[in-house]
Amino acid sequence: MARTAGSHGPKTMEAIRKAALTLIYRKGYEAITLRQLADAVGIQPGSLYNHVRNKQDILFDLVHDHMTTLLAEVEQAVPAEAPPLVQLEAFIAFHVGYHITRREQVFIANSELRSLEPGNHAAVVALRKRYEGVLIDVLRRGAADGSLRADDPTIAAYAILSMLTGICSWYQPSGRKSADQLVNLHRDLILRGIVVQDPASLAC
């Protein structure tokens, strides 16, 4: 591959991140080398050290960026002053939409969490707990005002998140259901089981 122009600039760092995302997604963190990454970007292996200290830094950068983006966007997607049911619907739509458009980032953040060194692992887990806390808080307030059935909001939140995130393992853009249809399907499945109201009113 031809050498990347401007190998000391932000363009090269972005190229490193994109190449690392693809390589880790396809091969796994342990299987890739810095030489493979440098070849994918089109720079000399030694030039990588102008941008990163080691392979661990690259993984942490990818996962940390994913989690901070996820948190920032969910805060925009879920209206702060809305009733719990409205917030739950917004959370479902956001989570499904985000996860089917960023499948590589989501896969790496989940499957390679084990590959993070202790300090990096702790930082990412703290961010994950903050994200989970958004849904737990919605369910807790819904249980309190009687609009949602969630005797244990934490367990309910983990069950919902497992179901929603599972879409990454089978979703295909060319499949028979559109992204909007899948959002509605997941919304229906969850709300019919948790909302305290007439199920007929939940029809899409």
Side-chain angles (χ1 to χ4, degrees), residues 87-105:
Q87 292 183 320
L88 179 57
E89 290 182 291
F91 184 94
I92 293 167
F94 165 75
H95 191 93
V96 173
Y98 183 100
H99 282 63
I100 63 177
T101 55
R102 296 172 173 88
R103 294 167 64 197
E104 291 181 341
Q105 292 92 331

Side-chain angles (χ1 to χ4, degrees), residues 95-153:
H95 191 93
V96 173
Y98 183 100
H99 282 63
I100 63 177
T101 55
R102 296 172 173 88
R103 294 167 64 197
E104 291 181 341
Q105 292 92 331
V106 172
F107 178 83
I108 290 170
N110 290 332
S111 67
E112 298 295 354
L113 184 64
R114 63 177 185 257
S115 299
L116 290 171
E117 294 174 353
N120 292 338
H121 184 277
V124 170
V125 168
L127 292 173
R128 287 183 64 165
K129 288 188 177 298
R130 282 178 56 192
Y131 183 76
E132 294 162 357
V134 174
L135 180 56
I136 292 170
D137 186 57
V138 169
L139 298 178
R140 183 177 291 126
R141 287 186 293 102
D145 72 12
S147 63
L148 302 175
R149 287 191 295 269
D151 294 338
D152 191 318

Side-chain angles (χ1 to χ4, degrees), residues 9-82:
K11 280 183 66 174
T12 300
M13 185 61 217
E14 184 58 25
I16 291 169
R17 295 180 80 256
K18 288 181 178 178
L21 184 70
T22 300
L23 284 171
I24 296 172
Y25 179 72
R26 292 178 178 173
K27 298 176 178 292
Y29 172 75
E30 294 297 336
I32 69 165
T33 66
L34 290 180
R35 179 173 294 279
Q36 289 173 326
L37 180 57
D39 288 345
V41 177
I43 60 177
Q44 294 298 319
S47 297
L48 283 174
Y49 296 103
N50 293 320
H51 307 278
V52 295
R53 292 182 304 170
N54 49 46
K55 193 170 72 165
Q56 176 69 199
D57 275 6
I58 297 170
L59 177 63
F60 178 66
D61 177 62
L62 292 175
V63 178
H64 188 268
D65 181 68
H66 160 71
M67 287 307 308
T68 54
T69 301
L70 187 67
L71 275 167
E73 293 192 13
V74 77
E75 289 172 0
Q76 295 296 316
V78 177
E81 304 301 323

